[in-house]
Amino acid sequence: MPHDRQAMTAASRLLERFRHARAATQALAARLGAEDMQAQSMPDASPVKWHLAHTAWFFETFLLSPRLPGYRVFDEAFGYLFNSYYEAVGARHPRAERGLITRPTAARVLEWRAHVDEAMERLIPRLDEAGAALVELGVAHEEQHQELILMDALHLFSRSPLKPAFFEGDPPRASSTAPMEFKGHPGGLAQVGHGGECFAFDNEGPRHTVYLQPFAIADRLVTNGEWIDFIEDGGYRAAALWLADGWAMAQVEGWQAPLYWRQEGGQWLALTLHGDRPVDPHALVSHVSYYEADAYAAWAGKRLATEAEWEQAPLMGRLWQWTRSAYLAHPGFRPGPGAVGEYNGKFMVSQMVLKGGSHASPAGHARATYRNFFYPQQRWMFSGVRLADDA
Amino acid sequence: MPHDRQAMTAASRLLERFRHARAATQALAARLGAEDMQAQSMPDASPVKWHLAHTAWFFETFLLSPRLPGYRVFDEAFGYLFNSYYEAVGARHPRAERGLITRPTAARVLEWRAHVDEAMERLIPRLDEAGAALVELGVAHEEQHQELILMDALHLFSRSPLKPAFFEGDPPRASSTAPMEFKGHPGGLAQVGHGGECFAFDNEGPRHTVYLQPFAIADRLVTNGEWIDFIEDGGYRAAALWLADGWAMAQVEGWQAPLYWRQEGGQWLALTLHGDRPVDPHALVSHVSYYEADAYAAWAGKRLATEAEWEQAPLMGRLWQWTRSAYLAHPGFRPGPGAVGEYNGKFMVSQMVLKGGSHASPAGHARATYRNFFYPQQRWMFSGVRLADDA
Amino acid sequence: MPHDRQAMTAASRLLERFRHARAATQALAARLGAEDMQAQSMPDASPVKWHLAHTAWFFETFLLSPRLPGYRVFDEAFGYLFNSYYEAVGARHPRAERGLITRPTAARVLEWRAHVDEAMERLIPRLDEAGAALVELGVAHEEQHQELILMDALHLFSRSPLKPAFFEGDPPRASSTAPMEFKGHPGGLAQVGHGGECFAFDNEGPRHTVYLQPFAIADRLVTNGEWIDFIEDGGYRAAALWLADGWAMAQVEGWQAPLYWRQEGGQWLALTLHGDRPVDPHALVSHVSYYEADAYAAWAGKRLATEAEWEQAPLMGRLWQWTRSAYLAHPGFRPGPGAVGEYNGKFMVSQMVLKGGSHASPAGHARATYRNFFYPQQRWMFSGVRLADDA
Amino acid sequence: MPHDRQAMTAASRLLERFRHARAATQALAARLGAEDMQAQSMPDASPVKWHLAHTAWFFETFLLSPRLPGYRVFDEAFGYLFNSYYEAVGARHPRAERGLITRPTAARVLEWRAHVDEAMERLIPRLDEAGAALVELGVAHEEQHQELILMDALHLFSRSPLKPAFFEGDPPRASSTAPMEFKGHPGGLAQVGHGGECFAFDNEGPRHTVYLQPFAIADRLVTNGEWIDFIEDGGYRAAALWLADGWAMAQVEGWQAPLYWRQEGGQWLALTLHGDRPVDPHALVSHVSYYEADAYAAWAGKRLATEAEWEQAPLMGRLWQWTRSAYLAHPGFRPGPGAVGEYNGKFMVSQMVLKGGSHASPAGHARATYRNFFYPQQRWMFSGVRLADDA
């Protein structure tokens, strides 16, 4: 295939991916009304409208304005409103006040998205490799916000006594739990991090060698039924199982179960994307903090896996899996220059790595080297627990 | 006029007032979009949608449910969501989370209002005197929320860099300021509080005798131009002028001018209901706290009036006027039994009385005996300053 | 008696009062160790060492430095450390950090007091009338701090599991409670406030006429036994009895009884100045907030007295009595010029008046016109409840 | 040497070390008055008296009570007061209220220490190996509190306008700064952690293999002069250099220089253990947070070392050196059972490792494998900055 046609094919594939990601975001938003998209339920979360706008802002700011000659910025005021955290791009609206941005309306934001999409259709075929890489980044970014939309909408719905559902119908229910088995690994030299050709975030590399001690890792995640055993055995009242910070947080917040769980008449119920449901003992436990995951592991006489161990036995799946590794730079990592360099590197302190993706992640989004990260007390993401042990 | 016709006329007048008040609320809301009506900019404020719903709840809870046979509550879940503070009526949604009530939507709330209005049309002609008094109370309550809608929307708009306007067009501008004159009063025995036949809130009575020292009171309120003199003379930096709590608050909050004012290129601008405007030196200064009003009076060598003094020289007008009287019970005041008794009495501590109404108050709403009340640090109401002095 | 001898007698009486007050402060401090005098248990309270130093500072700053020729300030650094709130005198140490002033030591502060006392002995005989009035103020100020020492030490001791006692021995115990009787008053014109020759704080005047409605007022304060009835009748759980702010505070703080009370094995115990003691049902209830006092009165079907009513039937006594009057200026009150003018006037907002003195007040300190004032949520002073009612 | 004499010698060496450590603590305390030892300047810090008492409590609780027959606990109430964080031992006084423990006095705490010392003299010669290991732990614990006494006293003194000095005389001053050189390391397999016979804390082991990339590490720490260059180049105003959490903290706290620095007349001054001093440009910069250390490294085009790298080139020295490694378990680490197992393991989240000891650490206290740990925002320890780089 001659070079030009190769380039054309690559561009048309990229355009396809772009269209698909943009449409997927809007398909989620279409399940919500203007009011649902407006509210911000806590500073960690953002309004859905804000996600719609911020992802448009990303393409406009990093691709259209610098690279599409004659591109007209849709509204100059939006840069201030929808910049998330890029200091290099300028001042921005305070994060905790995103729910107060009532104008532009959701309808106007959708017009902005259409304006951006139309321009991106023209830009993508002309891009060089660096430009195409930025589109890849923008698409991955758009996909991350799709999962954030689900996280944030669920949190918002949890504040309502009406307990709305994001999706109609029933979630899949399992009828049994397979015994948990631990697969051994002999340790020794191993490779960690991303090194291939295909797209990855900067923080996934460089690929590098590590030396591992022998270890074993579970073949599945912890279930709700197993978590109920932990609760009933007094796990939330036994300080000895907990990290000191975790115990303090659990007391202050009154944690007695995962986020969104409540007990009614002796039965556990949980708010899910499908609405209020009895807790399925065979389903995987979700919405637990690092503190809870670590305490559960201590109770079970096990531990969480390190990120390096996890990458030797990746289990892509239905929930993000807490590791006992802090989110820090891989050896040799340097953030890129300029605003896009702020994407990942500046968060490398005080957070823990989660691996594997979740049922709320877009298909094909996560990889074995993908590094998700949250603070140890956070619980509103789709996080679960996979046990490991020394050999 | 025979008794029946009299009653009919009274009922039809009441119905007229009811219709008028309800329509006025919705006329204000019609200036806003669904997103504008959703957001809550601070715990003191409420979403406009919440105001629309709460005023419907008032008529449904205190009139339709107990008094209209066969009345069907529109949605049982709304009682919890839209009760403001009536402990006797049951549990309620946390005040600071009113902005998270995305469902029901504004459209659904308007359906509720129509449902309530239709039922009220049937109920009003059948009501006895006590029932009619409750409708009067509901109408006055509805009118209070009309002013709150304007206060809360302006505060919300102030958090947006887009500085939206609630009303189109220009506010009236004055071309000159008349000299401020002080009218003397000889003091002695005087009457305070409401004692007549017509409607008043319970906290306005009983009418009672007080003994006043001779005093003088200004014939107009302080203007923006006069306030700028205070600023330029260092009023916001002179601790000696301020109450201790006021000075502490001014330092913590960094007050340097009334709320909504900012300086740009040496000029004072202020956000108003008509959008962002240069401060008109001939207009009355607004959005000042009690602390600021008191400090201004000290700077001017005067004082604020007491409520009793003010009632001897009422100046109904464009801004609520801070008095130096705490909001406490008039002698002989007893709150009524039941939920409606919670309307005013339970707020009788730590707040100061304001008198006179404002340009945002519905026509005919306030009276000389009307007692508005706010905490001394609050500034988002349409509050102004009228000076007084010992004779 | 010739004029000179009169002046000499007045000076020697004043000197006697000065010596007595200074010695009384130190007699209290002598019951404590250096560590007890160092700690600050909350921002509202101060270390006892700070009280010792601040009262020395008052005499040094307002009398010795301006009026005693050749007076040498003991240590220039102390002005910053021990100014309480006088803005006119300059910057000061942050109130919440008074417990961090470990130097000067208590021993050094006592040296300062001796230095001040020695100089005051020389100054007092030479003072003119204005100077003598300032000494009177300083003595009254010293006496106020004697009561604060007891309040603050008790609060500090309440934070210790060792429950130390300030005084040895047993408090007086009553063996019965007389029935509470209400004395009627016909209302009409009455006089309020201080107007005499003898010393009073500026805020007690001017004496002025008020018009009162007929009322009745109890002949004694509420007892612990009566308060236990209130508790057992659910008084702390009945929102309808409480002011809205009070109810919110009671929930946040988990109030279920007066400050310092706790229940053990079905019995009520309270920490007192004499250590941990069973609650005496015949003794007067103490350490209640305005919110609690108001709720109790509502439960009892009564109300608190206004300050003006109280002054018609003063009951000087063992506990400060909450009134339902806000602490505001008497008609015609103007704070004096300069720093001493900051003594009382700048606190005239958001606080309530208490009358009558307490067992912790120095003998002869309070008067019928004396105006004590605290915020409605405060409880660490020796406050009690006297009921009143409309006639 | 026969076995018994060996044991005797070991016991007498241990006794010597015990006596030395205990005396050293008291020698520090002897520089302070009772008031200095009472105050707690922030929740992170403790009163010096508390350190004196807590280290006595450690020996009483973990050695004397369980192992010395007939030992009489000095005061049963002290267990509650002076337990730091051992959940297994029971309830404890709230950390933030340690400054309110005025009784026992410092004098009484010294009596307790003497009582404990006398009993330890009797116990040590009889101990088995496990018991002797606990004494080793207790001595190391005592030494840690000696450094904490210096940290906490300096912080307390920093809150005083009198700027007291802990030590008399002048600190050593350097007259020049040697150029910073970077020593290369080839990477590959390396050993990390403690594995020997001599005493180490549990968290220093197990010794284990890691694989390192080639790196280079500075031969000295960053000086005050170099830090001033960073300040003058706008380091505290350049968001791009900072971790996001660090930047937010720096804004909130208004950081513009290391803790205890201030600028006066163009000159930098700092409070030190020797009192207020001009900043010596040739001395090492101290009292910086991890956030600042990381930002400095970014500004210098370098990075901090990882803990594993650092152990290949230990530079024991005058300041604790921030690493870019989170404080987490070494592979194979398991905390011991019971209360002593809470010593280190339960803090393994959200903190960063510091290595190397400081001038405030007792001689011989730190080792290359020693793991100190603090939160990234903390600055009151004697922390400095050593740069590293990829090869």
Side-chain angles (χ1 to χ4, degrees):
Chain A
M1 188 160 61
H3 178 74
D4 277 9
R5 283 198 48 200
Q6 252 184 330
M8 256 177 58
T9 310
S12 91
R13 279 193 196 135
L14 185 58
L15 191 55
E16 202 49 49
R17 276 178 46 60
F18 172 81
R19 286 174 184 153
H20 178 79
R22 299 287 282 176
T25 305
Q26 287 174 215
L28 290 176
R31 296 177 168 277
L32 301 172
E35 287 96 337
D36 295 328
M37 291 197 271
Q38 178 60 43
Q40 179 179 29
S41 59
M42 62 171 171
D44 281 350
S46 296
V48 169
K49 184 176 78 180
W50 191 92
H51 290 296
L52 292 178
H54 169 67
T55 45
W57 172 88
F58 190 98
F59 287 109
E60 184 170 81
T61 303
F62 296 124
L63 281 147
L64 296 172
S65 289
R67 292 174 183 260
L68 183 63
Y71 176 74
R72 176 182 56 79
V73 165
F74 187 72
D75 188 320
E76 294 288 349
F78 291 2
Y80 174 85
L81 289 171
F82 301 115
N83 177 1
S84 53
Y85 55 69
Y86 297 86
E87 301 277 353
V89 177
R92 61 186 184 281
H93 194 71
R95 180 178 182 107
E97 297 200 359
R98 288 178 181 168
L100 306 187
I101 307 171
T102 60
R103 301 180 185 190
T105 62
R108 180 79 175 147
V109 168
L110 291 174
E111 284 172 32
W112 184 20
R113 289 179 64 92
H115 174 88
V116 163
D117 287 350
E118 180 276 331
M120 287 295 295
E121 295 271 342
R122 285 182 285 127
L123 176 64
I124 286 176
R126 319 181 178 185
L127 285 171
D128 60 10
E129 210 169 317
L134 271 174
V135 177
E136 288 276 12
L137 180 65
V139 166
H141 174 257
E142 182 97 17
E143 288 175 348
Q144 288 182 319
H145 281 272
Q146 289 162 18
E147 182 155 359
L148 287 167
I149 285 172
L150 291 169
M151 286 162 59
D152 293 355
L154 181 56
H155 190 267
L156 173 64
F157 286 172
S158 78
R159 310 305 300 164
S160 166
L162 305 180
K163 306 285 177 214
F166 194 93
F167 294 116
E168 302 83 28
D170 288 319
R173 285 182 79 88
S175 59
S176 67
T177 303
M180 187 183 292
E181 296 195 3
F182 285 79
K183 308 292 185 188
H185 185 284
L189 292 174
Q191 298 296 306
V192 172
H194 190 268
E197 295 279 302
C198 60
F199 173 79
F201 287 111
D202 59 354
N203 64 354
E204 298 178 51
R207 189 158 183 81
H208 62 284
T209 302
V210 298
Y211 184 88
L212 298 176
Q213 318 304 315
F215 67 95
I217 188 164
D219 63 348
R220 65 160 174 80
L221 276 61
V222 172
T223 63
N224 288 325
E226 289 162 340
W227 200 271
I228 289 170
D229 292 343
F230 171 66
I231 294 173
E232 293 181 349
D233 195 39
Y236 280 91
R237 296 188 307 274
L241 300 172
W242 292 69
L243 289 162
D245 285 0
W247 181 247
M249 176 65 69
Q251 303 321 296
V252 167
E253 300 285 323
W255 290 350
Q256 304 195 27
L259 185 64
Y260 303 142
W261 285 34
R262 71 180 196 284
Q263 213 167 12
E264 237 170 58
Q267 197 195 6
W268 285 107
L269 301 171
L271 187 72
T272 73
L273 290 169
H274 291 269
D276 214 27
R277 299 281 167 175
V279 167
D280 176 359
H282 302 300
L284 304 182
V285 68
S286 185
H287 297 299
V288 292
S289 64
Y290 178 78
Y291 296 139
E292 287 162 292
D294 184 83
Y296 180 90
W299 174 78
K302 307 292 180 188
R303 60 171 175 80
L304 303 177
T306 65
E307 182 179 15
E309 289 168 348
W310 192 95
E311 287 197 22
Q312 311 315 310
L315 178 62
M316 304 306 292
R318 295 194 48 78
L319 292 171
W320 291 101
Q321 298 158 49
W322 283 110
T323 71
R324 67 176 346 189
S325 294
Y327 175 57
L328 295 168
H330 280 337
F333 169 77
R334 291 264 159 148
V340 168
E342 298 185 50
Y343 199 99
N344 283 307
K346 71 191 216 182
F347 303 108
M348 288 176 171
V349 67
S350 301
Q351 307 201 49
M352 303 302 286
V353 172
L354 299 101
K355 305 288 286 189
S358 86
H359 61 83
S361 311
H365 179 67
R367 287 163 296 282
T369 59
Y370 194 103
R371 313 183 77 194
N372 205 346
F373 47 90
F374 284 95
Y375 291 95
Q377 76 275 13
Q378 290 175 319
R379 318 206 289 173
W380 95 110
M381 58 284 182
F382 300 95
S383 55
V385 181
R386 187 181 177 197
L387 298 176
D389 205 355
D390 300 337
Chain B
M1 190 159 60
H3 178 74
D4 277 9
R5 282 199 49 199
Q6 250 185 332
M8 256 179 59
T9 310
S12 92
R13 276 192 198 136
L14 184 59
L15 190 55
E16 202 49 49
R17 277 180 42 64
F18 172 80
R19 286 175 185 153
H20 178 78
R22 299 285 284 176
T25 306
Q26 287 173 215
L28 291 176
R31 296 177 168 278
L32 301 173
E35 286 97 337
D36 295 328
M37 290 196 270
Q38 177 60 43
Q40 179 179 28
S41 59
M42 60 171 172
D44 281 351
S46 297
V48 170
K49 184 177 77 181
W50 191 92
H51 290 297
L52 293 177
H54 169 69
T55 44
W57 171 88
F58 191 98
F59 287 110
E60 185 170 80
T61 303
F62 296 123
L63 280 147
L64 295 173
S65 289
R67 292 174 184 260
L68 183 62
Y71 177 73
R72 176 182 57 79
V73 165
F74 187 72
D75 189 320
E76 294 288 350
F78 291 1
Y80 175 85
L81 289 171
F82 301 115
N83 177 1
S84 53
Y85 55 70
Y86 298 85
E87 301 277 353
V89 176
R92 61 187 184 278
H93 195 71
R95 180 179 181 105
E97 297 202 359
R98 287 178 182 168
L100 306 187
I101 305 171
T102 60
R103 300 181 185 189
T105 62
R108 180 79 175 147
V109 168
L110 291 174
E111 285 171 34
W112 183 21
R113 289 178 65 91
H115 174 90
V116 162
D117 287 351
E118 181 274 333
M120 287 295 295
E121 296 270 341
R122 284 183 286 129
L123 177 65
I124 287 176
R126 322 180 176 187
L127 285 171
D128 59 11
E129 208 170 318
L134 271 174
V135 177
E136 288 277 10
L137 181 65
V139 166
H141 173 258
E142 182 98 16
E143 288 175 346
Q144 288 183 317
H145 281 273
Q146 289 163 15
E147 181 154 1
L148 287 167
I149 285 171
L150 291 169
M151 287 162 58
D152 293 354
L154 181 57
H155 190 266
L156 173 65
F157 286 172
S158 77
R159 310 304 299 162
S160 166
L162 306 180
K163 307 285 176 215
F166 194 92
F167 294 116
E168 301 85 29
D170 288 319
R173 285 183 78 87
S175 59
S176 68
T177 302
M180 186 182 293
E181 297 196 3
F182 285 79
K183 308 292 185 189
H185 185 284
L189 291 174
Q191 297 297 306
V192 171
H194 189 269
E197 295 279 302
C198 61
F199 175 79
F201 287 111
D202 59 355
N203 64 354
E204 297 176 53
R207 189 157 183 81
H208 61 282
T209 303
V210 297
Y211 185 88
L212 298 176
Q213 319 303 317
F215 67 95
I217 189 164
D219 64 347
R220 66 160 173 81
L221 277 59
V222 172
T223 63
N224 289 323
E226 288 161 339
W227 199 270
I228 289 170
D229 292 343
F230 171 65
I231 294 173
E232 294 182 349
D233 195 40
Y236 280 91
R237 295 188 306 275
L241 299 172
W242 292 68
L243 289 162
D245 286 358
W247 181 247
M249 175 66 68
Q251 303 320 297
V252 167
E253 301 285 324
W255 289 350
Q256 304 194 28
L259 184 65
Y260 304 142
W261 285 35
R262 68 182 199 283
Q263 212 166 12
E264 237 170 58
Q267 197 195 5
W268 284 107
L269 301 172
L271 186 72
T272 73
L273 289 169
H274 291 268
D276 215 27
R277 300 281 168 175
V279 166
D280 175 0
H282 301 301
L284 304 182
V285 68
S286 185
H287 296 299
V288 292
S289 63
Y290 178 78
Y291 296 140
E292 287 161 292
D294 184 83
Y296 180 90
W299 173 79
K302 305 292 181 188
R303 60 171 175 82
L304 303 177
T306 64
E307 183 178 14
E309 289 168 347
W310 193 96
E311 288 197 23
Q312 312 314 310
L315 177 62
M316 302 308 291
R318 295 196 48 78
L319 293 170
W320 291 100
Q321 298 158 48
W322 283 112
T323 72
R324 67 178 344 189
S325 294
Y327 174 57
L328 295 168
H330 280 338
F333 169 76
R334 291 264 158 149
V340 168
E342 298 185 50
Y343 199 100
N344 283 307
K346 71 191 219 181
F347 303 109
M348 288 176 171
V349 69
S350 301
Q351 307 199 50
M352 302 302 285
V353 171
L354 298 102
K355 305 288 283 190
S358 86
H359 61 84
S361 311
H365 179 69
R367 288 163 294 283
T369 59
Y370 194 103
R371 313 183 77 193
N372 204 346
F373 47 91
F374 284 95
Y375 291 96
Q377 76 275 13
Q378 290 177 318
R379 316 206 290 172
W380 94 111
M381 58 284 184
F382 300 95
S383 55
V385 181
R386 186 180 178 197
L387 298 176
D389 205 357
D390 298 338
Chain C
M1 191 160 58
H3 178 73
D4 277 7
R5 281 197 50 197
Q6 250 185 333
M8 254 178 60
T9 310
S12 90
R13 277 193 198 135
L14 185 57
L15 190 55
E16 203 49 50
R17 276 179 45 62
F18 172 80
R19 286 175 185 154
H20 178 78
R22 297 287 282 176
T25 305
Q26 287 174 216
L28 291 176
R31 297 177 168 278
L32 301 173
E35 287 98 337
D36 295 328
M37 290 196 271
Q38 177 59 44
Q40 179 179 29
S41 59
M42 62 171 172
D44 281 351
S46 297
V48 170
K49 183 177 77 181
W50 191 92
H51 290 297
L52 292 177
H54 170 68
T55 45
W57 171 88
F58 190 97
F59 287 109
E60 184 170 81
T61 304
F62 297 122
L63 280 148
L64 295 173
S65 289
R67 291 176 185 257
L68 182 63
Y71 177 73
R72 176 182 57 79
V73 165
F74 187 72
D75 188 320
E76 294 288 349
F78 292 1
Y80 175 84
L81 289 171
F82 301 114
N83 177 1
S84 53
Y85 55 71
Y86 298 85
E87 301 277 354
V89 176
R92 61 186 183 278
H93 195 71
R95 180 178 182 106
E97 297 201 359
R98 288 178 182 168
L100 306 187
I101 306 172
T102 61
R103 301 181 185 188
T105 61
R108 180 81 175 143
V109 167
L110 291 175
E111 285 171 33
W112 184 20
R113 290 179 64 91
H115 174 90
V116 162
D117 287 350
E118 181 275 332
M120 287 295 295
E121 295 269 344
R122 285 183 286 130
L123 177 64
I124 287 176
R126 324 181 175 185
L127 285 170
D128 60 9
E129 207 169 320
L134 271 174
V135 176
E136 288 276 11
L137 181 64
V139 166
H141 174 258
E142 182 97 17
E143 289 175 345
Q144 289 182 318
H145 281 272
Q146 290 162 17
E147 181 155 0
L148 288 167
I149 284 173
L150 292 170
M151 286 162 59
D152 293 355
L154 181 57
H155 190 266
L156 173 64
F157 287 172
S158 78
R159 309 305 299 163
S160 166
L162 306 180
K163 307 284 176 217
F166 194 92
F167 295 116
E168 302 84 28
D170 288 318
R173 285 183 80 87
S175 59
S176 66
T177 303
M180 187 182 291
E181 296 196 3
F182 285 78
K183 309 291 185 189
H185 185 283
L189 291 175
Q191 297 298 305
V192 172
H194 190 267
E197 293 280 301
C198 62
F199 174 79
F201 288 110
D202 60 353
N203 64 355
E204 298 177 51
R207 190 158 183 80
H208 61 283
T209 302
V210 298
Y211 185 89
L212 299 175
Q213 319 304 316
F215 67 95
I217 187 162
D219 63 348
R220 66 160 174 82
L221 278 60
V222 172
T223 63
N224 289 322
E226 288 162 340
W227 200 270
I228 289 170
D229 292 344
F230 171 65
I231 294 173
E232 293 181 350
D233 195 40
Y236 280 91
R237 296 189 306 275
L241 299 173
W242 292 67
L243 288 161
D245 285 359
W247 181 247
M249 174 66 68
Q251 304 319 296
V252 166
E253 300 284 323
W255 290 350
Q256 304 196 27
L259 184 64
Y260 304 141
W261 285 35
R262 69 181 197 286
Q263 213 167 10
E264 236 169 60
Q267 197 196 5
W268 284 107
L269 301 172
L271 187 71
T272 72
L273 289 169
H274 291 268
D276 215 28
R277 300 281 167 174
V279 167
D280 175 359
H282 302 300
L284 304 182
V285 69
S286 185
H287 297 299
V288 294
S289 64
Y290 179 77
Y291 296 140
E292 287 161 292
D294 185 84
Y296 180 90
W299 173 78
K302 305 294 180 187
R303 59 171 176 82
L304 303 177
T306 65
E307 183 179 13
E309 289 168 347
W310 192 95
E311 288 197 22
Q312 311 316 309
L315 177 63
M316 303 307 291
R318 295 195 48 79
L319 293 170
W320 292 101
Q321 298 158 48
W322 283 110
T323 72
R324 69 177 344 189
S325 294
Y327 175 56
L328 296 167
H330 280 337
F333 169 77
R334 290 264 160 149
V340 168
E342 299 185 49
Y343 200 100
N344 283 308
K346 71 193 219 179
F347 303 108
M348 289 177 170
V349 70
S350 301
Q351 307 200 49
M352 302 302 286
V353 172
L354 299 100
K355 306 287 284 190
S358 85
H359 60 84
S361 312
H365 180 68
R367 287 163 296 282
T369 60
Y370 194 103
R371 312 182 79 194
N372 204 347
F373 47 89
F374 284 95
Y375 291 96
Q377 76 275 13
Q378 290 176 318
R379 317 207 288 172
W380 95 111
M381 58 285 183
F382 300 95
S383 55
V385 181
R386 187 179 178 197
L387 299 175
D389 205 358
D390 299 339
Chain D
M1 190 160 57
H3 179 74
D4 277 7
R5 283 197 50 199
Q6 253 187 327
M8 257 178 57
T9 310
S12 90
R13 278 194 198 135
L14 184 58
L15 190 55
E16 203 49 49
R17 276 179 45 62
F18 172 81
R19 286 175 184 153
H20 178 79
R22 298 286 284 175
T25 305
Q26 287 173 216
L28 291 176
R31 296 177 169 279
L32 301 173
E35 287 96 338
D36 295 328
M37 290 196 271
Q38 178 59 44
Q40 179 179 29
S41 59
M42 62 170 171
D44 281 351
S46 296
V48 170
K49 183 177 79 180
W50 192 91
H51 289 298
L52 292 177
H54 169 68
T55 46
W57 172 86
F58 191 97
F59 287 110
E60 185 170 81
T61 304
F62 296 124
L63 280 147
L64 295 172
S65 288
R67 291 175 185 258
L68 184 64
Y71 177 74
R72 176 181 57 79
V73 165
F74 187 72
D75 189 320
E76 294 288 349
F78 291 2
Y80 175 85
L81 289 170
F82 300 116
N83 176 2
S84 53
Y85 55 70
Y86 298 85
E87 301 277 354
V89 176
R92 60 188 184 279
H93 195 71
R95 180 178 183 108
E97 297 200 0
R98 288 178 182 169
L100 305 187
I101 307 172
T102 60
R103 301 181 185 188
T105 62
R108 180 80 175 146
V109 168
L110 291 174
E111 285 171 32
W112 183 21
R113 289 179 65 91
H115 174 89
V116 162
D117 288 351
E118 182 274 332
M120 287 294 295
E121 294 272 342
R122 286 184 284 129
L123 176 65
I124 287 177
R126 323 181 176 186
L127 286 170
D128 60 9
E129 209 171 316
L134 271 175
V135 177
E136 288 276 12
L137 180 65
V139 167
H141 173 258
E142 182 96 18
E143 289 176 346
Q144 288 181 319
H145 281 272
Q146 290 163 17
E147 183 155 358
L148 287 167
I149 284 172
L150 292 169
M151 287 162 58
D152 293 354
L154 181 56
H155 190 266
L156 173 64
F157 287 173
S158 77
R159 309 306 299 163
S160 166
L162 306 180
K163 307 287 177 213
F166 194 92
F167 295 116
E168 302 83 30
D170 288 319
R173 284 183 78 89
S175 60
S176 68
T177 303
M180 189 182 292
E181 296 196 3
F182 285 78
K183 308 293 186 188
H185 185 285
L189 292 174
Q191 298 297 305
V192 170
H194 190 268
E197 294 280 302
C198 61
F199 174 79
F201 286 111
D202 60 353
N203 64 354
E204 298 178 51
R207 190 158 181 81
H208 62 282
T209 303
V210 299
Y211 185 89
L212 298 176
Q213 320 302 317
F215 68 95
I217 187 164
D219 63 348
R220 66 160 175 80
L221 278 59
V222 171
T223 64
N224 288 324
E226 289 162 339
W227 199 270
I228 289 170
D229 292 344
F230 170 67
I231 294 173
E232 293 181 350
D233 195 40
Y236 280 91
R237 296 189 305 274
L241 298 172
W242 292 69
L243 289 161
D245 285 359
W247 181 247
M249 175 66 68
Q251 303 321 295
V252 167
E253 301 285 323
W255 290 351
Q256 305 196 27
L259 184 64
Y260 303 142
W261 285 35
R262 70 180 197 283
Q263 212 167 12
E264 237 169 59
Q267 197 195 3
W268 284 108
L269 301 171
L271 186 72
T272 72
L273 289 170
H274 292 268
D276 215 26
R277 300 279 168 176
V279 167
D280 175 359
H282 302 301
L284 304 181
V285 69
S286 186
H287 296 299
V288 292
S289 64
Y290 178 78
Y291 295 140
E292 287 161 292
D294 185 83
Y296 180 90
W299 173 78
K302 306 292 181 189
R303 60 171 173 84
L304 303 177
T306 64
E307 182 178 14
E309 289 169 348
W310 192 95
E311 288 197 22
Q312 312 314 309
L315 178 63
M316 302 307 291
R318 294 193 50 76
L319 291 171
W320 292 102
Q321 299 158 48
W322 283 111
T323 71
R324 69 177 343 190
S325 295
Y327 175 57
L328 296 168
H330 281 336
F333 169 77
R334 291 265 159 149
V340 168
E342 299 185 49
Y343 199 100
N344 283 307
K346 71 191 215 181
F347 303 109
M348 289 176 170
V349 68
S350 301
Q351 308 200 48
M352 302 302 287
V353 172
L354 298 101
K355 306 287 285 189
S358 87
H359 61 82
S361 312
H365 180 68
R367 288 162 295 281
T369 59
Y370 194 104
R371 314 183 77 193
N372 205 346
F373 47 89
F374 284 96
Y375 291 94
Q377 76 275 13
Q378 289 175 320
R379 317 206 289 172
W380 95 111
M381 58 284 181
F382 300 95
S383 55
V385 181
R386 187 181 177 196
L387 299 176
D389 206 355
D390 300 337

